[in-house]
């Protein structure tokens, strides 16, 4: 195996019938793994005991198959106590059934609705009542990455182990039954241009219908799908409507026979191909404020950038996240980081800016943690109460509900401070991994004086006396039990 080849973000499921043929592990290896699992279980038990304090709401969903990607779709309905929203997931199977792109309906409980004593009472091996499968698309190969079109989240792009990018109108796609031997669903568009597999680097432009991809051919490819979608696709009123009466991607003539290339969906050539990297392009993203600017991560350097206004953040091989000021970079993109965020003990897999506060971003890693950072807190003196601890600068929340690598997460633009995250913890959960939907308590991210002023109104209530104590001892130092 090529030592420079990019690592898979998740674990390939083993066929169930092969388990009896696996060789017995050496006793020393088994002992080490057992000790590690005990440590993981103890840490998880401690986290679960604090869920009523740290979270406004949390839903835990045990997956049938591992998932490498999770994304929010359009919001469908708003009700008094909860909203209903689409959720996109991948299913990475062992070959006994096809790989699928799953469209689910998710009930998102509104802030300050869920009872604290209920949100931690979930069964890790059970499906959540808040997540229901709505539709299944049989995907040609594994779904490595899902990205939605910001102008209309009913249109998604997927990456698999091939050079092509597949575009799907998920509302118009027929629901399929994933059984062995079933034919693949037909993508609405196929974007061509890579000369080798493009597996993970994928982005959709926030302002225009552009798609960006990177691959093993060391290139970055740009497409425009403007001419292939209807005018209603980018109409805000249509894009937010629940359901669809027809495809919002222009249809090509029906193929004459099964061997016709059109049977796989119409192909779209690149608008631009950008070279210059020396190894696999691992990640790409558009600049939120300028659609003509994109940032790229290469496997050779193993770093990635996300850009917000004039600041950039970067993840590297030393388990840290680094931030750069774009104005201080040289013409060839070289510069020194203005901040370094250290709170992971293993490789960082995903970094995303929060849509709710411009200085906040999240990072997930192979250590099973999803860290929430605020770079405005770096350098500020924090009163830590009776317990003093040196937790990383800028880190103000750690989601520790996963027991293995957190391969993907996504902020919900429709429900502030709500996150969906997915992990590859098959061995711990007895399933295909874990999907969690969660929202931290607003006592954590709101200004301290505002929180104390609110609690002061109810200080006569015994519960609020506890909350006031937690304000100093838990909320400011909520990370002491995991850092």
């Amino acid at each position: 195996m090529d030592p420079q080849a990019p690592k898979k973000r998740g674990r390939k499921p083993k066929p169930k019938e092969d388990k009896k043929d696996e060789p017995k592990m050496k006793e020393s290896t088994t002992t080490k793994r057992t000790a590690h699992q005990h440590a993981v279980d103890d840490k998880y038990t401690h986290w679960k005991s604090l869920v009523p304090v740290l979270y406004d709401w949390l839903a835990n969903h045990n997956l049938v198959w591992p998932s490498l990607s999770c994304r929010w779709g359009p919001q469908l309905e708003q009700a008094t106590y909860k909203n209903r929203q689409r959720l996109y997931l991948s299913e990475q199977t062992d070959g006994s059934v096809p790989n699928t792109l799953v469209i689910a309906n998710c009930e998102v409980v509104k802030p300050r609705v869920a009872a604290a004593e209920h949100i931690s009472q979930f069964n890790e091996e059970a499906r959540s009542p808040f997540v229901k499968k709505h539709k299944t698309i049989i995907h040609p190969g594994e779904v490595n990455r899902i990205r939605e079109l910001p102008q209309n989240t009913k249109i998604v792009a997927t990456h698999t182990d091939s050079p092509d990018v597949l575009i799907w109108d998920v509302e118009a796609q027929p629901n399929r039954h994933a059984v062995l031997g079933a034919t693949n669903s037909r993508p609405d568009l196929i974007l061509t241009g890579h000369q080798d597999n493009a597996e993970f680097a994928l982005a959709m432009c926030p302002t225009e219908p552009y798609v960006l991809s990177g691959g093993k051919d060391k290139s970055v490819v740009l497409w425009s799908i403007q001419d292939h979608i209807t005018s209603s696709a980018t109409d805000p009123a249509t894009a937010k409507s629940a359901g669809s009466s027809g495809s919002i991607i222009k249809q090509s003539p029906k193929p004459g026979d099964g061997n016709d290339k059109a049977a796989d969906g119409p192909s779209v050539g690149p608008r631009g191909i950008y070279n210059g990297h020396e190894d696999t392009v691992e990640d790409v993203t558009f600049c939120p404020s300028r659609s003509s600017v994109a940032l790229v991560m290469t496997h050779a350097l193993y770093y990635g950038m996300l850009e917000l206004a004039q600041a950039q953040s970067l993840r590297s091989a030393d388990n840290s996240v680094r931030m750069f000021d774009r104005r201080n970079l040289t013409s060839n993109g070289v510069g020194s980081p203005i901040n370094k965020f250290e709170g992971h003990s293993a490789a960082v897999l995903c970094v995303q800016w929060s849509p709710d506060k411009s200085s906040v971003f999240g990072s997930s890693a192979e250590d099973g943690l999803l860290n929430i950072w605020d770079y405005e807190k770096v350098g500020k003196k924090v009163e830590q109460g009776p317990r003093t601890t040196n937790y990383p600068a800028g880190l103000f929340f750690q989601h520790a509900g996963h027991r293995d690598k957190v391969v993907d997460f996504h902020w919900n633009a429709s429900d502030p401070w709500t996150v969906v995250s997915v992990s590859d913890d098959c061995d711990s959960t007895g399933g295909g991994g874990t999907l969690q939907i969660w929202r931290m308590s607003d006592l954590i991210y709101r200004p301290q004086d505002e929180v104390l002023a609110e609690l002061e109104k109810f200080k006569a209530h015994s519960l609020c006396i506890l909350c006031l104590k937690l304000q100093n001892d838990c909320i400011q130092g909520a990370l002491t039990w995991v850092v």
Side-chain angles (χ1 to χ4, degrees):
M1 180 181 291
D2 182 2
Q4 296 298 318
K7 295 189 298 182
K8 274 286 188 183
R9 309 286 173 97
R11 186 181 331 176
K12 181 67 176 177
K14 296 178 181 178
K16 297 174 182 177
E17 64 272 18
D18 290 343
K19 286 188 176 181
K20 61 183 180 180
D21 299 324
E22 293 178 0
K24 293 183 179 180
M25 293 185 295
K26 294 181 180 179
E27 185 176 349
S28 59
T29 304
T30 304
T31 303
K32 288 180 181 179
R33 289 192 177 185
T34 302
H36 172 73
Q37 190 59 49
H38 283 320
V40 170
D41 291 342
D42 290 345
K43 193 173 183 180
Y44 176 80
T45 301
H46 195 179
W47 167 81
K48 194 172 181 180
S49 70
L50 292 174
V51 165
V53 174
L54 299 176
Y55 294 85
D56 176 76
W57 178 61
L58 183 141
N60 187 90
H61 185 72
N62 183 259
L63 299 169
V64 178
W65 298 106
S67 178
L68 294 180
S69 195
C70 58
R71 303 294 287 185
W72 290 108
Q75 192 174 77
L76 305 177
E77 181 184 1
Q78 292 186 345
T80 304
Y81 300 110
K82 57 189 176 183
N83 301 324
R84 192 161 58 93
Q85 189 168 352
R86 290 280 196 258
L87 186 63
Y88 306 138
L89 302 168
S90 65
E91 286 187 326
Q92 186 189 23
T93 72
D94 61 1
S96 60
V97 293
N99 293 285
T100 61
L101 170 63
V102 174
I103 294 86
N105 286 336
C106 179
E107 293 182 342
V108 182
V109 175
K110 290 188 173 182
R112 300 200 170 194
V113 169
E117 62 269 22
H118 291 160
I119 61 173
S120 62
Q121 295 177 2
F122 58 83
N123 182 350
E124 287 81 2
E125 298 184 5
R127 315 283 181 253
S128 169
F130 296 100
V131 180
K132 302 290 186 183
K133 185 178 288 188
H134 170 69
K135 181 185 290 187
T136 298
I137 294 172
I138 299 181
H139 198 271
E142 298 175 3
V143 185
N144 296 330
R145 183 66 63 90
I146 306 168
R147 289 294 179 263
E148 74 288 349
L149 184 67
Q151 303 94 58
N152 192 318
T153 54
K154 300 173 189 175
I155 299 177
V156 303
T158 58
H159 253 330
T160 185
D161 297 336
S162 82
D164 300 330
V165 177
L166 307 181
I167 304 294
W168 308 87
D169 178 353
V170 295
E171 296 297 331
Q173 282 285 331
N175 186 24
R176 300 289 305 280
H177 187 44
V179 295
L180 185 63
T183 58
N184 294 330
S185 297
R186 180 177 183 262
D188 293 275
L189 294 174
I190 298 177
L191 310 186
T192 62
H194 279 293
Q195 302 304 309
D196 202 343
N197 285 358
E199 298 175 342
F200 289 103
L202 184 62
M204 303 282 258
C205 179
T207 57
E208 300 179 61
Y210 292 156
V211 183
L212 195 66
S213 169
K216 290 184 177 180
D217 56 3
K218 308 173 188 177
S219 69
V220 175
V221 183
L222 174 70
W223 297 268
S224 171
I225 60 173
Q226 178 70 62
D227 296 336
H228 301 273
I229 58 178
T230 64
S231 58
S232 64
T234 52
D235 184 332
T238 305
K240 294 182 180 179
S241 64
S244 174
S245 58
S247 178
I248 51 180
I249 296 181
K250 296 178 181 178
Q251 299 298 299
S252 62
K254 292 184 179 180
D257 58 64
N259 295 323
D260 195 318
K261 176 62 177 176
D264 295 328
S267 297
V268 179
R271 179 165 181 164
I273 299 178
Y274 307 96
N275 298 306
H277 296 285
E278 298 180 355
D279 211 321
T280 299
V281 178
E282 282 274 23
D283 211 355
V284 293
T285 186
F286 282 95
C287 170
S289 57
R290 297 169 61 195
S291 62
S292 60
V293 177
L295 299 168
V296 180
M297 178 183 81
T298 63
H299 175 64
L301 299 176
Y302 204 68
Y303 70 81
M305 293 183 177
L306 294 175
E307 198 268 0
L308 180 67
Q310 297 297 324
Q312 301 173 7
S313 71
L314 169 148
R315 61 184 176 88
S316 59
D318 60 358
N319 309 330
S320 68
V321 180
R322 302 184 185 189
M323 178 174 288
F324 292 79
D325 188 327
R326 185 159 51 94
R327 296 165 296 184
N328 297 337
L329 299 180
T330 63
S331 58
N332 60 349
V334 177
S336 298
I338 58 174
N339 283 313
K340 184 178 180 180
F341 301 90
E342 298 177 290
H344 289 291
S345 60
V348 179
L349 299 177
C350 188
V351 181
Q352 291 178 22
W353 289 103
S354 166
D356 305 304
K357 186 179 179 183
S358 60
S359 59
V360 171
F361 65 93
S363 63
S364 67
E366 292 185 354
D367 58 9
L369 296 176
L370 202 169
N371 289 340
I372 307 297
W373 311 82
D374 186 343
Y375 69 75
E376 288 185 346
K377 295 182 181 294
V378 175
K380 290 187 177 180
K381 186 177 180 179
V382 178
E383 296 181 4
Q384 298 182 14
R387 287 190 296 177
T388 58
T389 182
N390 295 319
Y391 54 83
L395 180 62
F396 75 95
F397 189 79
Q398 264 188 342
H399 177 63
H402 296 287
R403 285 176 281 178
D404 209 325
K405 62 181 71 170
V406 183
V407 294
D408 201 10
F409 72 95
H410 192 205
W411 298 89
N412 191 336
S414 300
D415 264 288
W417 295 94
T418 303
V419 178
V420 59
S421 52
V422 66
S423 59
D424 178 22
D425 48 10
C426 316
D427 295 339
S428 302
T429 61
T434 301
L435 175 82
Q436 291 184 336
I437 305 161
W438 52 274
R439 183 191 308 115
M440 72 179 78
S441 168
D442 63 5
L443 299 179
I444 295 175
Y445 60 78
R446 287 166 55 202
Q448 181 181 356
D449 55 351
E450 180 182 313
V451 171
L452 291 175
E454 177 184 335
L455 295 178
E456 184 71 18
K457 298 176 183 178
F458 307 98
K459 64 181 180 180
H461 195 287
S462 59
L463 177 61
C464 287
I465 295 176
L466 173 63
C467 289
L468 284 168
K469 178 181 182 297
L470 290 172
Q471 176 64 28
N472 287 326
D473 192 29
C474 183
I475 292 173
Q476 288 185 11
L479 312 173
T480 59
W481 56 276
V482 287
V483 176

